[in-house]
C-alpha cells in the first residue's frame, strides 16, 4: 500500500514522457499534434458557437411565435452574455492575483523557515553552552 506514496515525486516527469509518446504517435499517423489543453479549449469554443447559433434560431422562432422584436431580444441576450464574460474575466483576474499573492506568501514563509532553522540551531548551541556552564558552576559550588 505504501508503494504509491512516492508517485507524486516523479509524476511530472512521467506525464512529460506520456505526452511525448502521444505526440510521436500522433505525428506517426500523419496528424498534427495539438496540446490536450488547447484541444479542449478549441472543442469548447466550437461547442459554445454551436450552442449560440442554436439559441439564436430558437430565439427567432420564439419571437415570431410571440410577436416580439427579434433584434431587441437578441440585444438583451448579447448584453447578458457580455456581462457573463466580464464576470468570468474578473474571476480569472482575481484568481491569478490570489495565486500570485499565495506564491509570495509561500516564498516568504520558506525564507522565514530557513532563517528560523539557522536561528534555532544557533540558539540550541547557546542553550547547551549555558547549561554546561550552569552545571559546572553548580559542581564548583558543591550542589
Amino acid at each position: 500500500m505504501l508503494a504509491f506514496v512516492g508517485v507524486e515525486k516523479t509524476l511530472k516527469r512521467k506525464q512529460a514522457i506520456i505526452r511525448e509518446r502521444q505526440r510521436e504517435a500522433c505525428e506517426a499517423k500523419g496528424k498534427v499534434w495539438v496540446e490536450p489543453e488547447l484541444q479542449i479549449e478549441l472543442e469548447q469554443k466550437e461547442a459554445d458557437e454551436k450552442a449560440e447559433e442554436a439559441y439564436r434560431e430558437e430565439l427567432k422562432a420564439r419571437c415570431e411565435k410571440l410577436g416580439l422584436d427579434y433584434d431587441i431580444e437578441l440585444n438583451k441576450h448579447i448584453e447578458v452574455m457580455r456581462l457573463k464574460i466580464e464576470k468570468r474575466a474578473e474571476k480569472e483576474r482575481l484568481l491569478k492575483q490570489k495565486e500570485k499573492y499565495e506564491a509570495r506568501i509561500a516564498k516568504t514563509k520558506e525564507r522565514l523557515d530557513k532563517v528560523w532553522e539557522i536561528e534555532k540551531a544557533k540558539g540550541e548551541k547557546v542553550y547547551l553552552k549555558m547549561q554546561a556552564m550552569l552545571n559546572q558552576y553548580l559542581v564548583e559550588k558543591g550542589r
Side-chain angles (χ1 to χ4, degrees):
M1 191 168 176
L2 293 176
F4 299 105
V5 172
V7 77
E8 292 175 352
K9 294 177 184 175
T10 59
L11 185 62
K12 295 231 184 266
R13 291 178 183 167
K14 290 175 183 176
Q15 288 174 335
I17 290 170
I18 291 169
R19 181 144 315 165
E20 182 63 25
R21 289 177 182 164
Q22 289 173 339
R23 186 184 61 76
E24 290 171 358
C26 181
E27 290 174 352
K29 292 178 184 176
K31 296 180 181 178
V32 176
W33 169 255
V34 179
E35 292 292 328
E37 295 83 9
L38 181 60
Q39 183 67 29
I40 290 170
E41 284 182 34
L42 294 173
E43 289 172 359
Q44 184 63 48
K45 186 176 180 181
E46 185 179 318
D48 290 345
E49 288 172 0
K50 286 181 181 178
E52 181 66 21
E53 185 179 320
Y55 178 80
R56 287 181 183 209
E57 289 175 12
E58 290 174 11
L59 180 64
K60 193 170 197 173
R62 190 174 346 122
C63 287
E64 288 175 3
K65 181 179 178 183
L66 299 174
L68 300 172
D69 186 1
Y70 172 72
D71 292 329
I72 292 173
E73 297 300 317
L74 180 61
N75 286 335
K76 287 179 186 177
H77 170 69
I78 290 171
E79 181 64 18
V80 167
M81 295 305 292
R82 185 187 65 77
L83 291 173
K84 283 183 179 180
I85 290 169
E86 285 179 1
K87 190 174 183 179
R88 186 180 313 132
E90 180 65 12
K91 280 184 179 180
E92 289 174 3
R93 185 187 68 77
L94 290 173
L95 182 63
K96 286 180 183 178
Q97 199 174 33
K98 181 181 177 185
E99 288 171 352
K100 286 180 183 178
Y101 174 74
E102 288 174 349
R104 278 197 328 260
I105 295 296
K107 200 173 190 178
T108 300
K109 183 183 181 314
E110 184 180 319
R111 184 178 47 81
L112 290 174
D113 287 346
K114 287 179 183 177
V115 168
W116 168 245
E117 289 301 320
I118 293 168
E119 188 176 327
K120 182 180 172 186
K122 287 180 182 177
E124 189 66 26
K125 287 179 184 177
V126 170
Y127 173 76
L128 292 173
K129 181 180 176 182
M130 291 295 178
Q131 287 297 76
M133 289 172 59
L134 179 63
N135 287 338
Q136 183 182 359
Y137 173 77
L138 292 174
V139 167
E140 289 174 2
K141 282 289 193 179
R143 291 184 183 175

